[in-house]
Amino acid sequence: MAITYSIVIGTTIPVLWSEDITAFYVVMSINSLVLGLLTWLILQTNYSLDSKNLFWKSGPFKGTIAINSIKKIEFHNGIIVPTIWKPALSHVGLIITYNNYDDIYISPEKREEFVRKLTAINPNINLINQPT
């Protein structure tokens, strides 16, 4: 994340020496929005469970997954994640497949404990690449 912040802030530097005040305001506005969104994502990414649902939230994005609809959980380590939804802050996480073909990548801090809670509610979940 620090690299991303550096890139966003670094794009502002050339405009500081520009005499075009409009360009300055446009770049500062875009960078402020991007930095605000990144900060929101970092501060507001979390996952919780109740007796029937898994709730996830990442900045302005949120969703609910019925635990009984979860088919499999794959333990994943790596930067490249083969899913569309990735409300996660770590490269060490879980790929959860639910319904028929839906999947999401999450990275709870205590993933083994999180999986234990999920499998206690739905013991039919298939676990893949589970660490030993």
Side-chain angles (χ1 to χ4, degrees), residues 106-126:
I106 63 171
S107 59
E109 286 184 33
K110 299 176 182 175
R111 68 181 185 164
E112 287 82 10
E113 180 181 328
F114 196 81
V115 169
R116 263 195 305 279
K117 289 178 182 178
L118 286 170
T119 54
I121 297 168
N122 180 0
N124 297 320
I125 296 173
N126 184 19

Side-chain angles (χ1 to χ4, degrees), residues 34-53:
V34 169
L35 290 173
L37 179 61
L38 286 173
T39 302
W40 191 4
L41 291 171
I42 291 169
L43 296 177
Q44 291 288 319
T45 296
N46 54 58
Y47 320 100
S48 61
L49 301 171
D50 70 9
S51 62
K52 295 182 181 182
N53 296 305

Side-chain angles (χ1 to χ4, degrees), residues 83-130:
T83 65
I84 303 259
W85 279 106
K86 300 174 189 89
L89 299 176
S90 175
H91 68 280
V92 177
L94 305 168
I95 298 173
I96 297 177
T97 303
Y98 59 101
N99 295 333
N100 287 327
Y101 304 105
D102 298 321
D103 55 12
I104 188 168
Y105 177 76
I106 63 171
S107 59
E109 286 184 33
K110 299 176 182 175
R111 68 181 185 164
E112 287 82 10
E113 180 181 328
F114 196 81
V115 169
R116 263 195 305 279
K117 289 178 182 178
L118 286 170
T119 54
I121 297 168
N122 180 0
N124 297 320
I125 296 173
N126 184 19
L127 301 178
I128 300 171
N129 297 333
Q130 187 173 9

Side-chain angles (χ1 to χ4, degrees), residues 15-103:
V15 119
L16 294 175
W17 286 280
S18 172
E19 293 182 17
D20 185 4
I21 195 71
T22 305
F24 174 77
Y25 286 127
V26 168
V27 170
M28 290 303 290
S29 297
I30 292 170
N31 286 353
S32 296
L33 289 171
V34 169
L35 290 173
L37 179 61
L38 286 173
T39 302
W40 191 4
L41 291 171
I42 291 169
L43 296 177
Q44 291 288 319
T45 296
N46 54 58
Y47 320 100
S48 61
L49 301 171
D50 70 9
S51 62
K52 295 182 181 182
N53 296 305
L54 181 158
F55 303 96
W56 61 269
K57 184 173 185 344
S58 185
F61 310 105
K62 63 182 175 179
T64 304
I65 299 169
I67 296 172
N68 285 332
S69 72
I70 297 175
K71 308 289 185 217
K72 70 177 178 177
I73 297 175
E74 180 179 348
F75 289 78
H76 183 78
N77 295 322
I79 296 173
I80 298 173
V81 181
T83 65
I84 303 259
W85 279 106
K86 300 174 189 89
L89 299 176
S90 175
H91 68 280
V92 177
L94 305 168
I95 298 173
I96 297 177
T97 303
Y98 59 101
N99 295 333
N100 287 327
Y101 304 105
D102 298 321
D103 55 12

